[in-house]
Coordinates of all heavy atoms in Angstrom, one line a residue:
A526 N -25.0 9.8 4.8 CA -26.4 9.3 5.1 C -26.3 8.3 6.3 O -27.3 8.1 7.1 CB -27.0 8.7 3.9
N527 N -25.3 7.5 6.3 CA -25.0 6.5 7.5 C -23.5 6.1 7.4 O -22.9 6.1 6.4 CB -25.9 5.3 7.4 CG -25.7 4.4 6.2 OD1 -24.7 3.9 6.0 ND2 -26.7 4.4 5.4
E528 N -23.0 5.9 8.6 CA -21.6 5.3 8.7 C -21.4 5.1 10.1 O -22.2 5.4 11.0 CB -20.6 6.4 8.1 CG -20.4 7.6 8.9 CD -18.9 8.0 9.0 OE1 -18.1 7.4 8.4 OE2 -18.6 8.8 9.9
Q529 N -20.2 4.5 10.5 CA -19.8 4.4 11.9 C -19.2 5.6 12.3 O -19.9 6.6 12.7 CB -18.8 3.2 12.1 CG -19.5 1.9 12.0 CD -18.8 0.7 12.7 OE1 -18.8 0.7 13.9 NE2 -18.1 -0.1 11.9
L530 N -17.9 5.8 12.4 CA -17.2 7.0 12.7 C -15.8 7.0 12.0 O -14.8 6.4 12.4 CB -16.9 7.1 14.2 CG -16.4 8.5 14.7 CD1 -17.6 9.5 14.7 CD2 -15.8 8.4 16.0
S531 N -15.7 7.6 10.8 CA -14.5 7.4 9.9 C -13.6 8.6 10.2 O -13.9 9.6 10.9 CB -15.0 7.5 8.4 OG -15.5 8.8 8.2
T532 N -12.4 8.4 9.7 CA -11.3 9.3 9.8 C -11.7 10.7 9.2 O -11.1 11.7 9.6 CB -10.1 8.8 9.2 OG1 -10.2 8.5 7.9 CG2 -9.5 7.6 10.0
T533 N -12.6 10.7 8.2 CA -12.9 11.8 7.5 C -13.8 12.8 8.4 O -13.9 14.0 8.1 CB -13.8 11.5 6.2 OG1 -14.7 10.7 6.4 CG2 -12.9 11.0 5.1
L534 N -14.2 12.3 9.6 CA -14.8 13.2 10.6 C -13.7 13.7 11.5 O -13.7 14.9 11.9 CB -16.0 12.5 11.3 CG -16.6 13.4 12.5 CD1 -17.6 14.2 11.8 CD2 -17.0 12.6 13.6
L535 N -12.8 12.7 11.8 CA -11.7 13.0 12.9 C -10.7 14.0 12.3 O -10.2 14.8 13.1 CB -11.1 11.8 13.3 CG -12.0 10.7 14.0 CD1 -11.3 9.4 14.3 CD2 -12.6 11.2 15.2
E536 N -10.4 13.8 11.0 CA -9.2 14.6 10.5 C -9.5 16.1 10.6 O -8.6 16.8 11.0 CB -9.0 14.2 9.0 CG -8.3 12.9 8.9 CD -8.3 12.2 7.6 OE1 -9.3 12.3 6.8 OE2 -7.2 11.6 7.2
P537 N -10.6 16.7 10.1 CA -10.7 18.1 10.2 C -10.8 18.6 11.7 O -10.3 19.7 12.0 CB -12.1 18.4 9.5 CG -12.8 17.1 9.5 CD -11.7 16.0 9.4

Side-chain angles (χ1 to χ4, degrees):
N527 63 71
E528 72 136 13
Q529 284 204 76
L530 192 76
S531 68
T532 56
T533 47
L534 180 86
L535 301 175
E536 285 167 323

